[in-house]
Structures are given as C-alpha cells and as structure tokens.
Amino acid sequence: DAGVTQSPTHLIKTRGQQVTLRCSPKSGHDTVSWYQQALGQGPQFIFQYYEEEERQRGNFPDRFSGHQFPNYSSELNVNALLLGDSALYLCASSFLAGGQDTQYFGPGTRLTVL
Amino acid sequence: AQKVTQAQTEISVVEKEDVTLDCVYETRDTTYYLFWYKQPPSGELVFLIRRNSFDEQNEISGRYSWNFQKSTSSFNFTITASQVVDSAVYFCALSEGTGATNKLIFGTGTLLAVQP
C-alpha cells in the first residue's frame, strides 16, 4: 500500500520565480492538505482540497494556490517567490468521507529560495 | 483562539530512561481531536496517536503511553525505556470540529535526543 508521495524532493529557485510542487495521496484517500514548515517550527496549514475544490485555507497570501485533480493528486503553486518561502512543504492525505480518519504525511519537498 | 503549546524545546536523556513530552492546548470547541506526530531527521511526519475530546481514556501501546486530561487541557506523551531510535522532533497537534480531517494546528515541537 503506497503512502503519500511528493515530488520533487528538493528544489532551488530564485526570488520572483514560480514553483509547482506535487503530491499523490495514499491509496483510498480523497483529501489533500498542504503545510509549510519553516526551520525549527511546527507545520503551518496552507490549504486543503476535497472534490477538486479548496475546502479550507490558512493564513497564506494569494501567491499560494493549489489544484486537485480527478485522481485526487494535488499541486501547490507559489508565485513571485520570496526568501521567506524557503521551507519544507508537506502534503498530507486523508479520507474526508470517512470523517474519522487521520492525516498521513508525505516526505516533503524542501524548497530553497535564493 | 486555538493554540498548542509545547513548552519543552529540547530534552536529552540516556537510553532506557523514561521521558514525558508535555502538550497544552487551547480551543473554544467542545469537539476536537488531539494528535502526536514524530518527525525523524528524514523529515516525514509519522502519525503516533489520535484522541477525540470525548475519549479521555488513557492508553498504553508498547513503550508509549498518553495522558489526556480535559480539566487541564493537556495531552502528554510518555516513552518508557527510551531508545536511540526514539530521537526525533515530536509534535502535538489539534484539529477542531467534528472531523479529524480538518486543519491541524501544531505546536512548535520538542526535540528529543536519546544518548546511548
């Protein structure tokens, strides 16, 4: 049973560029959540997608956007990158229809903005 | 406002010692979930346990045990007979509402170092 997968593992960008991160949920899961984890901090919720719609959103600017595909996989897009966007980006999947399930995390994508 | 506080930034113990990680939460909801996750150096968050606000029964699972007390808004985690492989950052998290799939609010984590 494949767990949550994310790509790429590492990414280096420069300020002002745009980046796309990808996530495939665990088999049987229908919901994808994205979190940003700065060095030495706990993860911060960015947004959650269910049925290809943004279901919840955290306190992040519009530069952060996402998408969910019919196969439940998801992308996180960040435009006009800032140095402060350097972080570990974690994707988590869960089964919303089940209501009682837990969010399981992928290995993350480490983004460095120079 | 919802908040999770992990006052212990770093803990260092010697192998086979018992260690307790503290977690205090704030929420106005009467229905919520509490979680513990482990983050080894590889970076992936590993789920350890989930408790809902109606289940104050404490649990022991192997070397792990959890103490949930609504009266003090605490959800502490104990490792008995710690091992070097337990070295990691441990996060406590809160999810409000009736679904455990709502957004998670994390504490700042406790770095546990188990020395051989």
Side-chain angles (χ1 to χ4, degrees), chain B residues 78-113:
Chain B
T78 297
I79 302 174
T80 302
S82 59
Q83 300 175 1
V84 173
V85 293
D86 296 327
S87 296
V89 180
Y90 289 81
F91 289 97
C92 180
L94 165 70
S95 174
E96 295 178 320
T98 55
T101 55
N102 288 330
K103 69 176 183 181
L104 292 170
I105 301 150
F106 285 87
T108 51
T110 297
L111 173 61
L112 173 64

Side-chain angles (χ1 to χ4, degrees), chain A residues 37 48 96 100 102-103, chain B residues 33 37 39 50 101-103:
Chain A
Q37 186 179 19
Q48 183 182 84
L96 182 61
Q100 303 296 318
T102 294
Q103 294 185 37
Chain B
Y33 290 81
Y37 284 87
Q39 188 173 43
R50 175 188 71 216
T101 55
N102 288 330
K103 69 176 183 181

Side-chain angles (χ1 to χ4, degrees), chain A residues 64-93:
Chain A
F64 289 77
S65 64
H67 188 76
Q68 185 180 34
F69 299 94
N71 67 353
Y72 307 117
S73 67
S74 176
E75 288 182 350
L76 163 66
N77 301 293
V78 186
N79 294 322
L81 285 167
L82 304 174
L83 295 179
D85 295 331
S86 294
L88 179 67
Y89 287 84
L90 294 163
C91 168
S93 75

Side-chain angles (χ1 to χ4, degrees), chain A residues 9-81:
Chain A
T9 306
H10 295 87
L11 205 51
I12 299 175
K13 292 286 188 178
T14 56
R15 280 177 297 175
Q17 285 189 312
Q18 178 263 344
V19 67
T20 297
L21 311 182
R22 295 176 176 83
C23 171
S24 290
K26 186 174 173 162
S27 177
H29 284 183
D30 58 7
T31 304
V32 173
S33 303
W34 287 93
Y35 293 81
Q36 179 195 66
Q37 186 179 19
L39 199 61
Q41 301 295 318
Q44 299 290 316
F45 176 76
I46 303 175
F47 43 54
Q48 183 182 84
Y49 277 84
Y50 171 67
E51 291 189 336
E52 302 179 50
E53 302 254 338
E54 185 180 285
R55 179 176 174 263
Q56 290 185 312
R57 188 178 182 94
N59 188 25
F60 278 79
D62 292 343
R63 298 187 297 109
F64 289 77
S65 64
H67 188 76
Q68 185 180 34
F69 299 94
N71 67 353
Y72 307 117
S73 67
S74 176
E75 288 182 350
L76 163 66
N77 301 293
V78 186
N79 294 322
L81 285 167

